[in-house]
Amino acid sequence: MTEGILIIDKSGNFTPLNANVKKLLGIVCETFDAETINTHGIEFLNKEGTLLNYSELPGFKTLASGVSVNNFICALKQNNKIRWFSLNSNPLIIAGETAALVSFFEITIQKEQQMQLRQSNAFQKTLLDNLESGIVVTDQNRNFSLINKKALELFNLSDEAQYLGKFAPDYHTVWKSEERDTVNKQVVASMNRKVNVSREIEMDNGKVVSASYIPFSAGEEISGNIFEFVDITNRKRLERTIIHAKEQAEKANRSKSEFLAKMSHELRTPLNSILGFAQLLEMDKALNKKQLDFVLEILNAGRHLLHLINDILDLSRIETGKLRMEMDSVHLDNLIDECINIVQPSAMSKNIKIKKECHEYQNIFVKADPLRLKQVLFNLLDNAIKYNKINGEVTISVQREADTLTLHVMDTGEGFSSDEYENIFLPFYRINDTKEQGNGIGLPIVKQLISLMEGNVGVSSEKGKGSDFWVNLKVELRQSLESKQQIEQDNIFISADASFRILYIEDNQSNIHLINQVFKSLPNYTLISAENGRDGIKIASQEKIDLILLDINLPDISGEAVFERLKKDSVTRQIPIIALSANAMENDIKRALEKGFISYLTKPLDIQEFLNILNLTLLKMEERH
């Protein structure tokens, strides 16, 4: 036997019945009683670790009451060493006298394991109760196995002990999901992958909780599910706030875009007359020098206003991501020459010399949007002249390093401090103490455009000595490129006996008057006008018309609707149509060209460009006939 067996008589003497008594108690003596045990320094402790009196031991309880005691757990402490025992006692009659038969065996290892497990469970419970997430474990029958403190709080439950073993679906629909059963089947079919299912639930207390769970298994059988509940009320509130703010921002952005489009249209309409008639006056050879100076002042002021409108629209397009780049191989030397020719009159007015030091890079091509790169270079040259001193210099130079080319535009102006290097590229920022007029839009546009062309822009400057603005662009690895043909007035010829009838559909009398004046000096053209869309369609279908100029904003029907009706009619289908509108937004232009307009000219008109496109269109028609 593994147990120790002894008898306790009514006098309290112990009679060992096997050798295990001495072995288990660790006592070597002939007689056993309470005094013997005390002599050997043995103490008995209860489960809580406090001292146990002899009267509380099972044998003495049986002697006193005649009742059996089973599986009584106590500890034996000797020399500060504690061992645990399980005791049983039963009443016994010997020679007519009451005694107790006691058996006991050591359970120290089991007890220590239990204590370790209890400590581990206590640690895990403390850990789970201090989590910010609610944790619930259910068994395979969906009964509660574990509920931590946060879960009790989220589900308005009281003490965990009241719910352990209870059927979970009775307390919330989150445990009624049929989807979970499907997932469990998937897990059974493929135990090598974890399946985590999440969804959001509305709690009765108004909180929003993210509920996720994963099945756990023993072997190939599902043992239950572990649920995690995270309070996402604040996050959802923040998300709603962000979504609302985003919607408001998008609404404000749409309002801004609509305002800019409206503003652009309303400003371009009167500018069309101002610049248009001024250009006609500029072409008039009868003007004297003083009158011509006045006309040039009108043109310069009008073009400055137009430039400002275009800059504001460009800045808006860039900020909203609506400005698209048409990347191509650009011959840099040609572009520089073109921009120098544009700004040369401004430079001459201040006696500023423009020096170009790019001779060894005459055949270099860069990857860029030709129109936007021209806009960048024009802005830099215009600033270099505007902020320069009388009799100053502007130097354009180019440096190449590997596949990168750096273009410098240097001036001999007043310059500015290094503190302003970053600020100068911010919208509407103006250099301190500057006396020159400006809007602070040009350089921010330069920076954004170069960034969209995957380049960099920067500046170095010194007070009183001038500034050096530079841009970096990628070199296009090709030795030669056929330049795109430029439409020049000098190489477009309309035969003297050619005659064309032009229909202009426009409701603004000033615009009609302008185009009338343009055609007065052109004997090849006959202009017919219509002040609304329906009249224009009627004229086009009843008379011989070679080309139509069509305004987009008409009083009765839109220009796009007029275009569609003309293209559906077999009589007018082949007539080329040019859009001529104050709507200058990029999406308006793109949409019109995609519909089939052969060109889209924005007001105010550049009369020379208008005549070039007009002549080229009619020349192609003449060649086909």
Side-chain angles (χ1 to χ4, degrees), residues 217-240:
S217 59
E220 295 186 355
E221 295 293 328
I222 295 296
S223 300
N225 290 289
I226 300 174
F227 292 82
E228 180 184 18
F229 302 95
V230 180
D231 187 350
I232 58 171
T233 307
N234 291 334
R235 192 185 82 192
K236 295 300 290 184
R237 187 180 297 119
L238 180 60
E239 284 177 1
R240 286 193 292 268

Side-chain angles (χ1 to χ4, degrees), residues 21-74:
V21 174
K22 294 182 179 181
K23 182 179 178 181
L24 292 173
L25 294 178
I27 298 175
V28 179
C29 59
E30 294 301 323
T31 61
F32 288 89
D33 54 22
E35 185 178 347
T36 304
I37 290 178
N38 288 334
T39 302
H40 285 80
I42 295 175
E43 293 179 334
F44 292 99
L45 308 175
N46 60 21
K47 289 181 180 180
E48 287 72 30
T50 57
L51 193 63
L52 194 67
N53 293 324
Y54 284 104
S55 60
E56 298 177 90
L57 291 171
F60 291 101
K61 282 186 176 182
T62 299
L63 281 173
S65 63
V67 177
S68 298
V69 177
N70 296 313
N71 195 29
F72 181 86
I73 306 300
C74 68

Side-chain angles (χ1 to χ4, degrees), residues 256-268:
K256 182 182 75 172
S257 297
E258 290 169 2
F259 168 76
L260 288 173
K262 182 72 173 176
M263 181 199 72
S264 173
H265 180 272
E266 294 303 317
L267 290 176
R268 286 173 186 277

Side-chain angles (χ1 to χ4, degrees), residues 89-246:
S89 69
N90 292 285
L92 186 68
I93 303 297
I94 300 177
E97 299 234 351
T98 301
L101 179 65
V102 178
S103 66
F104 62 96
F105 58 93
E106 187 171 0
I107 59 170
T108 302
I109 294 176
Q110 297 94 311
K111 188 66 175 178
E112 288 177 348
Q113 289 175 344
Q114 287 178 3
M115 291 176 67
Q116 289 174 359
L117 181 61
R118 189 179 298 113
Q119 290 173 354
S120 176
N121 288 341
F123 172 77
Q124 291 175 13
K125 180 64 175 171
T126 302
L127 181 65
L128 288 171
D129 282 343
N130 283 278
L131 289 177
E132 289 297 320
S133 302
I135 303 296
V136 174
V137 179
T138 59
D139 61 22
Q140 58 185 348
N141 297 318
R142 299 191 190 178
N143 297 321
F144 288 126
S145 299
L146 181 149
I147 311 174
N148 77 340
K149 184 177 179 180
K150 187 66 176 181
L152 291 171
E153 177 187 327
L154 289 173
F155 288 93
N156 290 325
L157 304 177
S158 52
D159 183 49
E160 176 188 14
Q162 296 183 27
Y163 306 100
L164 294 182
K166 300 289 181 65
F167 191 51
D170 289 342
Y171 295 90
H172 201 280
T173 56
V174 68
W175 292 290
K176 295 180 181 178
S177 172
E178 295 179 0
E179 179 186 10
R180 192 175 69 256
D181 292 336
T182 303
V183 174
N184 287 351
K185 292 175 184 178
Q186 294 172 352
V187 177
V188 173
S190 179
M191 296 301 297
N192 61 339
R193 63 187 178 91
K194 299 292 184 182
V195 179
N196 191 310
V197 179
S198 299
R199 63 191 178 100
E200 294 179 4
I201 57 175
E202 293 278 351
M203 307 300 291
D204 294 337
N205 55 12
K207 291 186 176 182
V208 182
V209 174
S210 172
S212 61
Y213 69 89
I214 187 167
F216 63 91
S217 59
E220 295 186 355
E221 295 293 328
I222 295 296
S223 300
N225 290 289
I226 300 174
F227 292 82
E228 180 184 18
F229 302 95
V230 180
D231 187 350
I232 58 171
T233 307
N234 291 334
R235 192 185 82 192
K236 295 300 290 184
R237 187 180 297 119
L238 180 60
E239 284 177 1
R240 286 193 292 268
T241 302
I242 292 173
I243 291 171
H244 178 70
K246 181 183 177 184

Side-chain angles (χ1 to χ4, degrees), residues 307-319:
H307 182 65
L308 176 60
I309 295 169
N310 289 334
D311 278 350
I312 293 174
L313 287 177
D314 279 345
L315 190 62
S316 174
R317 290 181 187 129
I318 292 169
E319 289 177 346

